[in-house]
Amino acid sequence: MGFVLFGLTGGLASGKSTVAARLRTHGVPVIDADALAREVVLPGTDGLAEIVAVFGPEVQLPDGTLDRPRLAAIVFKDDDKRRRLNSILHPRIGALSMARVAEHRTRGEEVVCYEAPLLVENGLADMFRPLVVVAVPEDVQVARAMLRDDATEDQARARIAAQLPLADKVRAADFVIDNGRSREDTERQTDEVLAKIRERART
Ligand SMILES: CC(C)(COP(=O)(O)OP(=O)(O)OC[C@H]1O[C@@H](n2cnc3c(N)ncnc32)[C@H](O)[C@@H]1O)[C@@H](O)C(=O)NCCC(=O)NCCS
Ligand SMILES: Nc1ncnc2c1ncn2[C@@H]1O[C@H](COP(=O)(O)OP(=O)(O)OP(=O)(O)O)[C@@H](O)[C@H]1O
């Protein structure tokens, strides 16, 4: 029996969480990089301390938590500041994710999913094969992000501009899930992809 650590990526609001939720219903453990990104900045962490040292006390709320909308407004309009934030958080997210992978492996899991929006951008695609990319047209990303996050079109487009175009990720993919239609259709595609991945784990 092999061990498969596969990647799940896409772009802003392209449908990664929707696919991840379906995978979980089939018993697949999913490690969520966005959730780890929140863990490494919880009050009391050195991650949060470093961010406050770099970006100033105004990115911390009175209750000690990170002011996420405020930090987002800073980093999604300034590439250098975003790179700075990434350089603080990405190594910490990476370390935590590897620890989580090891835990699942020790537990005897054979198929584990790593869900992260910036896998391809960070040159990590080959660590997580097969790579599954969830894709929708950019206008659909914008519309769904605005609806979900109560964001303006400019805010949604600024985040998308901070990511590699989805078409480039599709080129790096082993499997592509088209989330441009119904959720049911996406679930069906997810089930098909998972069946193929499990097949690989058996060989
Ligand atoms: C800037 C922050 C505080 C904004 O928080 P917010 O709650 O508004 O967004 P959240 O973290 O839920 O991210 C939502 C989506 O935004 C996009 N996004 C987030 N960070 C980045 C980034 N550095 N570059 C490009 N896109 C990003 C992703 O598509 C992500 O799924 C937060 O996104 C952050 O700390 N980002 C840096 C860490 C990171 O790279 N996270 C994403 C991958 S691990
Ligand atoms: N097929 C679909 N039809 C309509 N809405 C959808 C569909 N798939 C997902 N959505 C909605 O679009 C939004 C984005 O989906 P989801 O959260 O799965 O994307 P994501 O890639 O995980 O986003 P992010 O990485 O930005 O957090 C959500 O509000 C979700 O409910």
Side-chain angles (χ1 to χ4, degrees):
M1 281 288 193
F3 172 73
V4 175
L5 174 60
F6 74 97
L8 174 63
T9 195
L12 180 75
S14 77
K16 295 177 296 298
S17 306
T18 302
V19 169
R22 181 69 176 180
L23 292 169
R24 287 191 179 100
T25 67
H26 289 297
V28 176
V30 180
I31 300 164
D32 173 356
D34 282 337
L36 300 185
R38 287 170 190 268
E39 277 190 43
V40 299
V41 297
L42 286 173
T45 57
D46 59 353
L48 179 59
E50 202 170 321
I51 289 173
V52 172
V54 169
F55 293 93
E58 58 273 20
V59 299
Q60 201 169 16
L61 291 167
D63 69 0
T65 60
L66 181 64
D67 187 340
R68 303 179 71 85
R70 188 137 192 184
L71 188 56
I74 297 170
V75 301
F76 293 115
K77 66 162 193 260
D78 184 327
D79 290 349
D80 285 336
K81 290 191 172 145
R82 194 179 62 258
R83 281 191 208 104
R84 193 84 200 268
L85 177 66
N86 289 347
S87 74
I88 296 169
L89 294 186
H90 291 176
R92 291 177 162 87
I93 296 165
L96 210 49
S97 64
M98 287 307 113
R100 296 282 154 88
V101 169
E103 283 165 23
H104 287 302
R105 208 173 172 158
T106 306
R107 226 176 274 143
E109 299 286 353
E110 281 157 2
V111 174
V112 174
C113 174
Y114 184 59
E115 177 201 351
L118 306 176
L119 269 188
V120 181
E121 286 86 341
N122 289 344
L124 302 175
D126 287 331
M127 279 178 64
F128 303 98
R129 293 284 179 183
L131 181 66
V132 181
V133 172
V134 191
V136 292
E138 189 169 311
D139 286 344
V140 175
Q141 280 183 274
V142 171
R144 288 184 185 164
M146 287 171 66
L147 205 64
R148 182 194 57 185
D149 302 334
D150 197 19
T152 65
E153 176 167 355
D154 283 354
Q155 285 169 333
R157 290 203 187 273
R159 277 199 199 211
I160 291 168
Q163 305 179 346
L164 201 62
L166 263 172
D168 292 14
K169 298 188 186 181
V170 164
R171 270 191 288 279
D174 300 294
F175 298 106
V176 178
I177 293 177
D178 174 358
N179 186 33
R181 299 183 293 265
S182 68
R183 290 172 208 275
E184 293 68 29
D185 192 73
T186 293
E187 288 171 359
R188 183 189 53 73
Q189 294 175 68
T190 304
D191 295 353
E192 282 173 15
V193 168
L194 178 60
K196 288 182 185 149
I197 292 174
R198 283 193 161 143
E199 188 66 46
R200 283 197 195 190
R202 272 183 232 116
T203 55

